[in-house]
Amino acid sequence: MSCANRNRSIQARSMTEKSLRSSIRFRLMLVYVGSICFTLILFAVVVYLSVIHNLEKEVDDDLATRAQQARDFFASHGFSNQELQAFAQTYGGGTPILKNEPDSKQSSIPADNALNRSDLSAALTYLQLVDKEGRLLEQLPNNLTIMNQPSTQKLLHDRLKLGQNYDYILLADNERARVYTVPLDRIDNKGYLQVVRSFQENDAIIRGLTWPIVLASAAAFFLLGLFGWWITRRTFSPIEDITETAYRIGVNNDLAERIATDPGSNDEVSRLGRAFNAMLERLEKSFKAQKQFIADSSHELRTPLTVIRGNVDLLKRNPDPQNQAESLQAIERESARMQRLVQDLLLLAQADARQTVDLVPLQLDDVVLEVFKETRVLADQRGQHLKLGNFEPVTVEGDRDRLKRAILNLVDNAIKYTQEQGEISISLIAGKQWARVVVADNGLGIEAREQPLVFDRFYRIDKARQRTQGIAGGGTGLGLAIVKHIVEAHGGRISLESETGQGTTFTIWLKNSSTAALPPDDSSEGVEEPVQTAEPKS
């Protein structure tokens, strides 16, 4: 490989990888990582909100339970000093703040706990009772500094206007608390009960849960990104190999190169690789056939041109009348042969261009009978017996001239390769869906190894055999290739049966008035039995 080609190959590979990273592979990785990350984030948010909801519900249930106990007590009691004292003894263990004695500093909690109740988080739960004007009647416990501050009492007083509800308040030391306010309705008096619980412990739990979720999510994002990059790189690696191979084939013009595939795998990439290899194989065969076709055409055209030029030179050097006649005959003969060769090549070129054939209804038996009459004279000259076998009227859709040429090529081929006194037969059989033109001889036959090749262009069974001048092919090696093209252009098929020394049978299958979806395979040839009829008079 030259340096320029190598540089182009490297540049093509770099462009391919860059294109994949910026398009399919990169997008696939983003979709994969994005989908997983979205799922993880959604899961983390659900867990986070669920924890908060459960903690809040636990606190609310505790506040509601304590409030209900107090409401049950005051449902049958008033707000007198004796009732408040009984309430304090029952729920706080101390002496209440009596009515009209707002400066009372008597403890309303057990003595052994009084020294430790300095903030709400230590007391866990705080309960206070106010009258309908909002004046404080009782605190349990009553020595919480943070709850006795005017700012805290103002926050609690503002919650009285909202009626029964749960709410958060922020204390002076930035401690969050949950407050539950419920009215106490009596016939003779009204008041409000407020139960407060610190949310400091729950906030600590939430903070302890937040950072692990954030760190775990970040680690998951990173690991998923690496895994997504690895899996997409591994998945697209065979595709990159296919792309690199395609560029390399284009640079080196080497259709013999193939993509390495795993025979045991049947995934999409493996099937793509095998399909690409199959395409390369077909292209390689096509290019080889094209090169061979050009080489063979050049060789076949060079031979008559050489003969013509040689005879022209001979005429220049020797103007003898006898030599002139022989040279002119040779020139005429080779010119005719070259004309037939050019016409055959033009027909095959049209076949390669997939030009369609104009199909019209015609009597195939008239075409076969016409071929029989034209070739019988040639067979008689060679001492051969040409006869009609089974012969039935058949109507098909086709091109008369091309079908005649196909049948004529087969008969001419049989005449050329059948010994003297040999026998050749032409049969026409009308089936239910397919008509068959059968050309059989008892000539030399074709070896089994050569039978698949007889329809190739310029292929001759015996390349050492001297060319003979037939009526259709002229010994160019294109006769059977033309027959196959004409038959397939009519939606039919041609088959071959031969045995060395026993003869050869060619069968053309064509659609008759019925329409078949596909040409029959070899196993269906015996389905439609020919009808025995008398040989028509010529």
Side-chain angles (χ1 to χ4, degrees):
M1 183 189 299
S2 64
C3 181
N5 290 341
R6 186 181 297 109
N7 291 336
R8 283 197 298 269
S9 179
I10 295 174
Q11 183 180 5
R13 180 176 181 181
S14 176
M15 292 177 60
T16 302
E17 292 183 353
K18 182 178 180 181
S19 176
L20 285 173
R21 282 196 301 268
S22 61
S23 57
I24 299 177
R25 188 169 71 181
F26 184 70
R27 290 183 216 170
L28 183 61
M29 184 182 70
L30 285 182
V31 170
Y32 170 78
V33 175
S35 300
I36 300 298
C37 290
F38 175 78
T39 304
L40 288 178
I41 291 176
L42 183 62
F43 176 75
V45 170
V46 170
V47 171
Y48 183 80
L49 295 179
S50 177
V51 170
I52 293 178
H53 174 74
N54 290 335
L55 291 175
E56 186 175 289
K57 184 176 184 301
E58 180 184 359
V59 171
D60 291 346
D61 291 344
D62 180 67
L63 294 179
T65 299
R66 294 178 181 270
Q68 186 61 39
Q69 292 175 351
R71 295 184 67 182
D72 292 342
F73 177 85
F74 286 106
S76 56
H77 300 77
F79 294 153
S80 62
N81 290 339
Q82 293 79 8
E83 292 170 338
L84 292 178
Q85 184 176 6
F87 175 73
Q89 292 292 337
T90 301
Y91 293 97
T95 303
I97 302 176
L98 300 179
K99 290 181 180 180
N100 301 325
E101 297 179 10
D103 296 332
S104 175
K105 299 299 182 181
Q106 295 181 355
S107 176
S108 61
I109 60 173
D112 56 348
N113 294 331
L115 298 178
N116 298 326
R117 302 294 176 86
S118 58
D119 54 33
L120 182 60
S121 59
L124 296 180
T125 305
Y126 167 82
L127 186 148
Q128 74 176 21
L129 186 68
V130 297
D131 60 16
K132 60 182 180 179
E133 285 79 17
R135 291 175 299 182
L136 184 63
L137 300 177
E138 180 59 85
Q139 292 177 295
L140 298 176
N142 62 2
N143 61 343
L144 296 183
T145 305
I146 192 67
M147 301 306 298
N148 288 323
Q149 291 183 1
S151 60
T152 302
Q153 288 298 318
K154 183 178 184 305
L155 291 174
L156 294 176
H157 186 270
D158 293 339
R159 268 56 187 178
L160 298 178
K161 303 175 183 178
L162 303 178
Q164 181 177 351
N165 67 93
Y166 293 95
D167 201 358
Y168 283 105
I169 59 174
L170 185 62
L171 304 181
D173 58 353
N174 293 325
E175 178 182 354
R176 279 205 316 157
R178 186 77 165 163
V179 58
Y180 177 59
T181 303
V182 57
L184 297 176
D185 296 330
R186 288 178 54 83
I187 298 177
D188 56 345
N189 204 345
K190 292 185 178 180
Y192 294 93
L193 180 68
Q194 292 182 309
V195 187
V196 185
R197 178 169 173 175
S198 172
F199 219 76
Q200 185 176 12
E201 181 179 357
N202 293 349
D203 285 341
I205 294 175
I206 294 174
R207 285 194 300 270
L209 181 65
T210 301
W211 281 110
I213 290 178
V214 172
L215 294 178
S217 300
F221 296 163
F222 177 74
L223 294 177
L224 285 173
L226 289 179
F227 180 75
W229 175 83
W230 176 81
I231 194 67
T232 52
R233 180 182 178 87
R234 183 180 179 86
T235 302
F236 281 92
S237 178
I239 299 180
E240 291 181 3
D241 294 339
I242 294 175
T243 307
E244 182 182 354
T245 303
Y247 275 111
R248 191 165 56 246
I249 291 173
V251 171
N252 301 331
N253 294 322
D254 183 13
L255 292 176
E257 187 173 357
R258 296 291 183 269
I259 298 172
T261 58
D262 184 5
S265 176
N266 195 36
D267 58 12
E268 290 79 358
V269 178
S270 298
R271 293 200 300 270
L272 175 63
R274 286 192 287 269
F276 192 80
N277 286 338
M279 181 189 67
L280 288 177
E281 185 175 355
R282 290 192 297 270
L283 288 176
E284 184 182 11
K285 289 181 178 179
S286 177
F287 285 141
K288 285 183 178 179
Q290 184 180 29
K291 290 181 181 179
Q292 186 66 34
F293 180 73
I294 294 174
D296 292 340
S297 302
S298 302
H299 175 74
E300 294 294 335
L301 289 172
R302 185 170 60 247
T303 300
L305 288 174
T306 302
V307 173
I308 293 174
R309 183 174 180 178
N311 282 278
V312 170
D313 291 340
L314 181 61
L315 288 175
K316 289 180 179 179
R317 293 194 309 268
N318 188 359
D320 183 69
Q322 183 177 358
N323 290 335
Q324 287 182 357
E326 294 177 355
S327 297
L328 289 175
Q329 289 178 358
I331 291 174
E332 183 181 8
R333 184 174 60 252
E334 295 299 326
S335 298
R337 180 173 179 272
M338 187 168 60
Q339 182 182 9
R340 288 192 299 270
L341 177 60
V342 171
Q343 291 175 349
D344 292 343
L345 292 175
L346 179 60
L347 180 61
L348 293 175
Q350 292 174 351
D352 293 337
R354 300 185 181 275
Q355 293 188 1
T356 59
V357 178
D358 294 331
L359 304 179
V360 295
L362 60 90
Q363 291 297 125
L364 186 60
D365 51 303
D366 292 341
V367 178
V368 174
L369 191 58
E370 186 176 339
V371 172
F372 172 75
K373 292 177 180 180
E374 292 180 3
T375 56
R376 185 169 57 178
V377 176
L378 182 61
D380 292 341
Q381 291 176 354
R382 296 175 61 89
Q384 299 167 340
H385 178 53
L386 178 63
K387 68 176 183 178
L388 283 174
N390 303 315
F391 196 83
E392 302 171 6
V394 177
T395 301
V396 298
E397 290 187 354
D399 186 304
R400 180 184 180 87
D401 293 335
R402 296 197 180 190
L403 287 177
K404 179 181 177 180
R405 182 170 186 181
I407 301 172
L408 197 62
N409 280 5
L410 291 181
V411 177
D412 178 62
N413 191 73
I415 292 174
K416 287 191 297 183
Y417 298 114
T418 301
Q419 66 276 14
E420 293 184 6
Q421 306 303 320
E423 186 175 285
I424 304 169
S425 66
I426 307 175
S427 301
L428 178 59
I429 304 167
K432 295 180 180 179
Q433 290 185 331
W434 295 90
R436 285 178 283 170
V437 180
V438 182
V439 178
D441 64 69
N442 59 353
L444 302 177
I446 304 172
E447 295 182 5
R449 62 182 178 86
E450 292 184 313
Q451 291 181 15
L453 306 175
V454 295
F455 295 104
D456 292 346
R457 300 172 184 180
F458 297 107
Y459 182 81
R460 294 187 180 89
I461 297 175
D462 186 0
K463 295 181 173 61
R465 180 180 299 168
Q466 183 180 1
R467 293 188 181 91
T468 59
Q469 290 297 332
I471 58 177
T476 61
L478 296 176
L480 293 179
I482 292 174
V483 173
K484 182 180 179 182
H485 156 63
I486 293 175
V487 173
E488 291 181 348
H490 283 76
R493 184 177 70 89
I494 183 170
S495 62
L496 165 64
E497 294 180 0
S498 182
E499 186 176 349
T500 305
Q502 300 296 323
T504 303
T505 300
F506 286 94
T507 303
I508 295 177
W509 299 75
L510 295 172
K511 298 178 183 178
N512 60 12
S513 56
S514 300
T515 302
L518 293 174
D521 53 21
D522 293 338
S523 62
S524 64
E525 292 180 5
V527 174
E528 299 174 353
E529 294 295 333
V531 178
Q532 300 292 336
T533 59
E535 179 178 337
K537 296 180 180 180
S538 60

